[in-house]
Amino acid sequence: MKKIIFKLAEMLALLSIGLLFTLYILRSVYENYGIAFTGNVWVNWFGVAYIFFVLYTLIFGLFIFKGNNLFKQRLTSVIFWLLFIGSNYVVFIPFIKGENPF
């Protein structure tokens, strides 16, 4: 039961941080580059939240909980890294295209 509560708290915290970062920081950055912050903004939110999730996993998995099996499994997962690449695409492609394609 503790693991489930920990994972839920982890997910909610990272989604909340991702939402705040998306609404208050990413919106300003996009608008400063002339990119309209419209459309399916939830896609950008997921991308930002997942990038934070990867950073969180890297910090905790490599430095704080080195022997933890959960973090080892995440860091060696192919899907984990493919989603990270997709999230970076979602967040940074508007700078290349000049618009938010989502």
Side-chain angles (χ1 to χ4, degrees), residues 9 15 20 23 26-27 36 39 52-53 63 75 83 89 96:
L15 284 171
L20 292 174
L23 292 177
L26 190 63
R27 171 183 281 176
F52 281 131
F53 177 68
F63 300 113
L75 291 173
L83 285 173
Y89 175 80
I96 296 169

Side-chain angles (χ1 to χ4, degrees), residues 26-101:
L26 190 63
R27 171 183 281 176
S28 300
V29 172
Y30 278 1
E31 289 174 353
N32 284 339
Y33 282 92
I35 301 167
F37 195 69
T38 58
N40 293 328
V41 178
W42 67 270
V43 176
N44 300 97
W45 169 34
F46 175 76
V48 169
Y50 196 79
I51 290 170
F52 281 131
F53 177 68
V54 170
L55 292 175
Y56 162 81
T57 301
L58 284 172
I59 291 169
F60 277 79
L62 296 177
F63 300 113
I64 298 172
F65 297 120
K66 291 180 184 176
N68 191 313
N69 214 14
L70 173 67
F71 290 107
K72 281 183 183 179
Q73 288 175 348
R74 282 184 194 164
L75 291 173
T76 58
S77 171
V78 174
I79 294 173
F80 177 81
W81 292 109
L82 288 175
L83 285 173
F84 178 64
I85 292 168
S87 296
N88 279 304
Y89 175 80
V90 164
V91 173
F92 295 111
I93 197 67
F95 294 109
I96 296 169
K97 285 190 155 197
E99 66 178 1
N100 192 356

